[in-house]
PDB file of all heavy atoms in Angstrom:
ATOM      1  N   HIS A   6       3.224   4.092   1.604  1.00 98.00           N
ATOM      2  CA  HIS A   6       1.865   4.179   1.223  1.00 98.00           C
ATOM      3  C   HIS A   6       1.314   5.518   1.646  1.00 98.00           C
ATOM      4  O   HIS A   6       0.905   5.846   2.706  1.00 98.00           O
ATOM      5  CB  HIS A   6       1.008   3.089   2.004  1.00 98.00           C
ATOM      6  CG  HIS A   6      -0.401   3.031   1.637  1.00 98.00           C
ATOM      7  ND1 HIS A   6      -1.138   1.917   1.467  1.00 98.00           N
ATOM      8  CD2 HIS A   6      -1.356   4.031   1.427  1.00 98.00           C
ATOM      9  CE1 HIS A   6      -2.361   2.058   1.094  1.00 98.00           C
ATOM     10  NE2 HIS A   6      -2.489   3.442   1.164  1.00 98.00           N
ATOM     11  N   HIS A   8      -0.620   9.427  -0.237  1.00 97.00           N
ATOM     12  CA  HIS A   8      -1.292  10.026  -1.425  1.00 97.00           C
ATOM     13  C   HIS A   8      -0.991  11.503  -1.366  1.00 97.00           C
ATOM     14  O   HIS A   8      -0.716  12.081  -0.337  1.00 97.00           O
ATOM     15  CB  HIS A   8      -2.850   9.756  -1.425  1.00 97.00           C
ATOM     16  CG  HIS A   8      -3.163   8.290  -1.141  1.00 97.00           C
ATOM     17  ND1 HIS A   8      -3.247   7.380  -2.231  1.00 97.00           N
ATOM     18  CD2 HIS A   8      -3.449   7.602  -0.072  1.00 97.00           C
ATOM     19  CE1 HIS A   8      -3.596   6.287  -1.779  1.00 97.00           C
ATOM     20  NE2 HIS A   8      -3.671   6.341  -0.402  1.00 97.00           N
ATOM     21  N   ILE A  40       0.862   6.951  -4.082  1.00 98.00           N
ATOM     22  CA  ILE A  40      -0.153   6.109  -4.774  1.00 98.00           C
ATOM     23  C   ILE A  40      -1.154   7.031  -5.493  1.00 98.00           C
ATOM     24  O   ILE A  40      -1.919   7.701  -4.784  1.00 98.00           O
ATOM     25  CB  ILE A  40      -0.835   5.146  -3.782  1.00 98.00           C
ATOM     26  CG1 ILE A  40       0.197   4.338  -2.962  1.00 98.00           C
ATOM     27  CG2 ILE A  40      -1.828   4.209  -4.610  1.00 98.00           C
ATOM     28  CD1 ILE A  40      -0.452   3.452  -2.017  1.00 98.00           C
ATOM     29  N   LYS A  97      -1.066  -1.163  -7.355  1.00 98.00           N
ATOM     30  CA  LYS A  97      -2.042  -1.257  -6.341  1.00 98.00           C
ATOM     31  C   LYS A  97      -3.393  -1.482  -7.102  1.00 98.00           C
ATOM     32  O   LYS A  97      -3.716  -0.871  -8.109  1.00 98.00           O
ATOM     33  CB  LYS A  97      -2.144   0.094  -5.474  1.00 98.00           C
ATOM     34  CG  LYS A  97      -3.153  -0.096  -4.368  1.00 98.00           C
ATOM     35  CD  LYS A  97      -3.210   1.102  -3.616  1.00 98.00           C
ATOM     36  CE  LYS A  97      -4.217   0.955  -2.399  1.00 98.00           C
ATOM     37  NZ  LYS A  97      -4.761   2.200  -1.850  1.00 98.00           N
ATOM     38  N   HIS A 164      -3.665  -1.775   5.227  1.00 97.00           N
ATOM     39  CA  HIS A 164      -4.618  -1.548   6.259  1.00 97.00           C
ATOM     40  C   HIS A 164      -4.873  -2.833   7.132  1.00 97.00           C
ATOM     41  O   HIS A 164      -5.910  -2.713   7.826  1.00 97.00           O
ATOM     42  CB  HIS A 164      -5.815  -0.851   5.765  1.00 97.00           C
ATOM     43  CG  HIS A 164      -5.674   0.144   4.726  1.00 97.00           C
ATOM     44  ND1 HIS A 164      -4.774   1.237   4.884  1.00 97.00           N
ATOM     45  CD2 HIS A 164      -6.267   0.291   3.492  1.00 97.00           C
ATOM     46  CE1 HIS A 164      -4.815   1.874   3.759  1.00 97.00           C
ATOM     47  NE2 HIS A 164      -5.732   1.427   2.910  1.00 97.00           N
ATOM     48  N   ASP A 224      -0.853   6.328   4.807  1.00 97.00           N
ATOM     49  CA  ASP A 224      -2.158   6.752   4.167  1.00 97.00           C
ATOM     50  C   ASP A 224      -2.337   8.278   4.291  1.00 97.00           C
ATOM     51  O   ASP A 224      -3.429   8.787   4.139  1.00 97.00           O
ATOM     52  CB  ASP A 224      -3.324   5.967   4.679  1.00 97.00           C
ATOM     53  CG  ASP A 224      -4.342   5.716   3.557  1.00 97.00           C
ATOM     54  OD1 ASP A 224      -4.061   6.016   2.388  1.00 97.00           O
ATOM     55  OD2 ASP A 224      -5.441   5.180   3.887  1.00 97.00           O
ATOM     56  N   MET A 227      -4.925  11.356   4.028  1.00 94.00           N
ATOM     57  CA  MET A 227      -6.105  11.000   4.735  1.00 94.00           C
ATOM     58  C   MET A 227      -5.721  10.857   6.318  1.00 94.00           C
ATOM     59  O   MET A 227      -6.571  11.061   7.140  1.00 94.00           O
ATOM     60  CB  MET A 227      -6.675   9.701   4.251  1.00 94.00           C
ATOM     61  CG  MET A 227      -7.848   9.881   3.325  1.00 94.00           C
ATOM     62  SD  MET A 227      -7.250   9.917   1.615  1.00 94.00           S
ATOM     63  CE  MET A 227      -6.908   8.104   1.295  1.00 94.00           C
TER      64      MET A 227
HETATM   65 ZN1   ZN B   1      -4.210   4.633   0.751  1.00 59.83          ZN
END
Side-chain angles (χ1 to χ4, degrees):
H6 183 141
H8 310 274
I40 308 179
K97 186 184 182 197
H164 322 309
D224 220 3
M227 262 92 76

